[in-house]
Amino acid sequence: MTRGDESDRGQSQTGRETVEPPDWFVEQANVTDPAVYDRFEQEWPDCWREAAELLDWAEPFETVLRGTDGPPFEWFSGGRLNAAYNCLDRHLPERKNQLALVWEGHLGESRTYTYLELYREVNAFAAALRDRGVGTDDVVTLYLPMVPELPVAMLACARLGVPHNVVFAGFSADALATRMERAESEYLITCDGYYRRGSAVAQKNKADNARIAVDHDVSVVVLDRLGRDVHLGDDYDDYHDLLAAHEGAEVEPVSRAADDPLFRIYTSGTTGQPKAVTHTTGGYLAHVAWTAQSVLDIKPEDTYWCSADIGWITGHSYIVYGPLALGTTTVLYNGTADHPNKDQLWKLIEKYAVDVFYTAPTAVRAFMKWGEEYPAKHDLSSLRLLGTVGEPMDASAWEWYREHIGGGECPVVDTWWQTETGAVLVSTLPGVDEMKPGAAGTPLPGIEASVVDLSGVVAESDTAGELVVTRPWPGMPRALLDGTGWGSVPDNAKEWRYYPEDSVSVDDNGYITFLGRIDDAINVAGRRFSTKELESTVAGVTGVAEAAVVGADDETTGTAVYAFASPEDGYAESELRAAIEDAIVNAIGGIARPKEIVFTPDLPKTRSGKVMRRLLTAVANDDELGDTSALRNPEILGEIQSTTRRE
């Protein structure tokens, strides 16, 4: 499918510009019927049978949902299946020689796996784990960078019916030990090290320290990534030796009940203590498969690339399980967007003729800062759809992304979801809906959500409120299914609700704009300001590539506004400082004028691209920074600290 003419533009009822999907996209899209919304509403919850039917079941489910009025909920009760079978075995008759994984390494090396090759390696490693005593009551922790062996290990665990616990490779030994301790995990898969921006990271050293810190024995498998013949020691095994010893082995996939755990993942730890989230086999897999097909428009013949890290939920859902369940080719990249050059991502999109690209708004703002000349060097015409995930996407970044990466024609899906939701809940359907730059879209078919004020009353249009999800969804985690966890129903509620703790507004067409976390508001002299509103104002100043705004302690007002801005090349800081102040005063008011505007070449970000505002708050307050192991650019903190004035 090739791109056609520039898409038509329309106006929403509120008068703000919307963008229609182009005809050439709609003609080939997986979902094109606007009646899908009414159908899912009228047939709920049985409408979710459509998602379950994307999977193969070892035993059919009896009921789509038990417990429609309140927890405990049970999706696809009575059904049994295996996630690895759905991602591998069932594709072999039709596409055993099709590429399942394409991997590009930090040093330019690459590897590919067909579905048959991936099936064989998963079986061999599953046999090795089984022979080491791994069983369904265990939790296997995976502490690996973005290498093919990570999805191999995930699928090997799934094949055995064993929950995996992926820990982001950039986390510290203490963070790893905490997650292993809480998961009671006695098995660890790691590597000797990996390369980051040209330097080797000693991963095994961190793993060794974590193993010492936990209060139980840990059996370790080490992948030789650097080729330096690292000494393993007692109760350590070499990954490749295990594969060689089990070459040709086949492990029967263990059927699991739909509500049995598939994996455990801990929230990133960027705020407070990490929180365990356990996702189920049937509901989760059905939900990620359906959203990968309907929202990301993934097809088996596609080459699809999500630039997230598998250490986060995005990588679980939309690098591994969703795409492989649909039988597509998924790209893994173990590197950064600007190394060795700032056109690295566009080079890879051209090299692999990527059809669908899914990345973070923070990354898009970095691309804007670097300049349009970098994507302009490469042929990006293979792209059919663009997506974003992770945090709110402002309208200017949305327009730049579509224009310079999507050729002015690709639809852009701005998706909202969380670790807790498992899969996308709010977005446009690219083959059905108009897009509204700066807004994520409406709740997807089958999802019911509202915007409420502080008293729980539905908020008026274009008024800030709190998002609340008022019906269960298939990808919900065990804590919400059981009604034993966080965020479900307050004591005085008349119906079940889930509060994601996101501040939002909604327009007359039901399009939801995400403003930030509820606790992201800054209270200055008794007046609350949304950080998203402040940041969008700063980022809207010509010459500002991206911005972050935090509150810091102030003796006079209680809290003062600190703005951190990353300028584009060629703009003087003195001019930008005045322009930023004027923009905030004009858009919001003089009381929101920043106490300090700090210019920095970059903002502190996790490897997934999220800005760590907690660290900026610590800088503004001159506090201890705490754990910075999640950062991809820790060196920027020293520069920001040296240029931040405090009184």
Side-chain angles (χ1 to χ4, degrees):
M1 178 65 62
T2 58
R3 297 177 186 168
D5 297 331
E6 181 77 16
S7 63
D8 296 331
R9 291 177 178 266
Q11 295 289 324
S12 70
Q13 293 178 7
T14 56
R16 296 185 66 178
E17 189 175 65
T18 59
V19 183
E20 293 182 1
D23 291 342
W24 61 264
F25 182 89
V26 175
E27 289 170 1
Q28 60 78 57
N30 290 329
V31 179
T32 60
D33 185 2
V36 64
Y37 287 96
D38 289 339
R39 178 165 55 83
F40 267 58
E41 179 63 28
Q42 293 165 7
E43 298 176 4
W44 191 92
D46 286 345
C47 58
W48 287 110
R49 186 180 301 273
E50 183 175 311
E53 289 174 349
L54 293 173
L55 308 177
D56 284 1
W57 295 79
E59 297 180 18
F61 54 90
E62 300 166 358
T63 306
V64 172
L65 174 63
R66 285 183 177 169
T68 56
D69 296 329
F73 300 111
E74 186 178 355
W75 286 96
F76 311 122
S77 59
R80 299 187 69 86
L81 73 167
N82 181 274
Y85 179 91
N86 274 278
C87 291
L88 297 174
D89 304 46
R90 66 177 182 145
H91 300 313
L92 297 182
E94 293 185 4
R95 53 182 65 93
K96 66 180 181 181
N97 294 319
Q98 175 187 314
L99 292 181
L101 295 180
V102 172
W103 176 76
E104 185 87 11
H106 180 79
L107 302 180
E109 69 274 46
S110 61
R111 277 189 279 159
T112 61
Y113 289 72
T114 65
Y115 270 91
L116 180 59
E117 290 168 338
L118 185 58
Y119 167 85
R120 287 172 172 167
E121 186 156 331
V122 166
N123 270 272
F125 194 54
L129 292 177
R130 180 191 58 194
D131 290 352
R132 288 177 64 86
V134 175
T136 55
D137 292 333
D138 294 308
V139 175
V140 178
T141 297
L142 312 178
Y143 188 49
L144 291 165
M146 286 285 286
V147 290
E149 290 79 7
L150 178 51
V152 166
M154 294 167 70
L155 292 169
C157 290
R159 192 167 196 85
L160 295 171
V162 175
H164 56 70
N165 171 36
V166 179
V167 177
F168 172 57
F171 276 156
S172 66
D174 287 345
L176 172 62
T178 297
R179 287 156 175 78
M180 291 186 65
E181 194 78 62
R182 294 187 178 193
E184 298 180 350
S185 176
E186 298 179 356
Y187 296 90
L188 174 64
I189 318 298
T190 189
C191 62
D192 57 346
Y194 62 97
Y195 291 100
R196 187 75 184 173
R197 295 186 179 277
S199 300
V201 176
Q203 190 76 348
K204 183 177 175 293
N205 290 350
K206 294 191 291 181
D208 289 341
N209 290 334
R211 183 171 182 254
I212 294 170
V214 298
D215 63 1
H216 56 259
D217 292 337
V218 178
S219 178
V220 185
V221 175
V222 180
L223 169 69
D224 183 359
R225 175 77 183 92
L226 299 180
R228 297 181 179 179
D229 297 323
V230 173
H231 175 68
L232 296 184
D234 296 335
D235 211 18
Y236 284 74
D237 280 305
D238 179 83
Y239 177 88
H240 292 295
D241 288 347
L242 290 176
L243 285 190
H246 295 84
E247 184 177 1
E250 291 200 354
V251 175
E252 188 70 18
V254 176
S255 72
R256 301 289 278 165
D259 63 347
D260 280 340
L262 175 60
F263 64 85
R264 177 178 296 187
I265 187 170
Y266 287 84
T267 52
S268 64
T270 55
T271 57
Q273 292 297 310
K275 176 177 64 178
V277 179
T278 300
H279 280 292
T280 64
T281 304
Y284 167 83
L285 192 61
H287 195 173
V288 297
W290 187 85
T291 48
Q293 182 188 70
S294 302
V295 178
L296 297 176
D297 198 52
I298 292 175
K299 300 169 173 58
E301 61 269 23
D302 284 342
T303 298
Y304 159 83
W305 185 11
C306 171
S307 68
D309 193 290
I310 295 176
W312 313 112
I313 187 65
T314 302
H316 284 59
S317 298
Y318 297 113
I319 294 179
V320 181
Y321 287 113
L324 293 180
L326 297 179
T328 197
T329 301
T330 185
V331 176
L332 279 73
Y333 175 48
N334 185 33
T336 58
D338 58 350
H339 187 87
N341 299 298
K342 291 177 180 177
D343 65 340
Q344 180 67 5
L345 300 191
W346 322 129
K347 176 182 176 182
L348 296 180
I349 287 175
E350 179 178 21
K351 177 179 178 179
Y352 294 114
V354 172
D355 297 280
V356 178
F357 182 57
Y358 194 34
T359 193
T362 301
V364 175
R365 289 189 284 270
F367 305 153
M368 292 174 62
K369 175 187 171 185
W370 298 340
E372 62 192 63
E373 63 269 23
Y374 292 103
K377 293 179 182 180
H378 298 279
D379 180 4
L380 306 181
S381 62
S382 64
L383 288 170
R384 183 178 78 247
L385 178 70
L386 301 174
T388 63
V389 57
E391 59 185 7
M393 177 85 151
D394 60 86
S396 60
W398 191 101
E399 294 281 11
W400 189 96
Y401 191 32
R402 180 172 178 267
E403 180 66 28
H404 296 290
I405 309 305
E409 299 182 28
C410 284
V412 178
V413 287
D414 179 3
T415 65
W416 176 86
W417 57 294
Q418 300 176 314
T419 303
E420 294 87 346
T421 70
V424 179
L425 296 190
V426 177
S427 175
T428 52
L429 292 176
V432 174
D433 300 315
E434 292 183 351
M435 299 159 282
K436 181 178 178 179
T442 65
L444 290 175
I447 304 300
E448 185 177 82
S450 301
V451 179
V452 298
D453 61 21
L454 293 176
S455 62
V457 177
V458 175
E460 296 180 1
S461 296
D462 296 317
T463 301
E466 181 176 1
L467 184 70
V468 56
V469 183
T470 53
R471 277 200 306 221
W473 64 94
M476 59 200 306
R478 289 291 292 270
L480 290 180
L481 288 167
D482 299 340
T484 58
W486 20 259
S488 52
V489 57
D491 293 338
N492 61 348
K494 297 180 180 179
E495 60 183 11
W496 181 89
R497 292 183 171 193
Y498 169 62
Y499 291 88
E501 299 183 352
D502 275 303
S503 177
V504 299
S505 65
V506 61
D507 70 10
D508 290 338
N509 291 330
Y511 278 52
I512 296 173
T513 297
F514 285 83
L515 305 175
R517 301 291 289 167
I518 290 295
D519 57 2
D520 280 346
I522 299 175
N523 191 324
V524 180
R527 302 184 185 183
R528 291 173 62 83
F529 300 98
S530 162
T531 54
K532 172 66 186 317
E533 184 180 15
L534 288 164
E535 288 175 356
S536 295
T537 301
V538 177
V541 172
T542 301
V544 176
E546 58 181 338
V549 175
V550 301
D553 296 338
D554 184 84
E555 291 182 359
T556 304
T557 61
T559 303
V561 174
Y562 277 67
F564 297 83
S566 182
E568 297 177 2
D569 292 338
Y571 288 86
E573 290 185 4
S574 58
E575 295 178 0
L576 286 179
R577 190 182 307 279
I580 290 170
E581 287 188 358
D582 289 345
I584 289 178
V585 170
N586 292 334
I588 300 170
I591 195 169
R593 187 192 305 271
K595 180 175 182 178
E596 178 67 19
I597 299 173
V598 180
F599 293 99
T600 171
D602 201 359
L603 297 171
K605 299 168 188 170
T606 67
R607 305 270 167 80
S608 65
K610 287 190 176 182
V611 176
M612 289 190 70
R613 291 170 180 82
R614 171 181 67 79
L615 295 176
L616 293 176
T617 301
V619 169
N621 283 317
D622 200 17
D623 291 339
E624 293 291 330
L625 296 178
D627 185 10
T628 62
S629 62
L631 284 181
R632 76 181 188 197
N633 56 346
E635 69 283 350
I636 200 66
L637 286 172
E639 186 167 343
I640 293 174
Q641 286 176 312
S642 67
T643 56
T644 302
R645 295 180 302 179
R646 307 171 192 86
E647 296 178 1

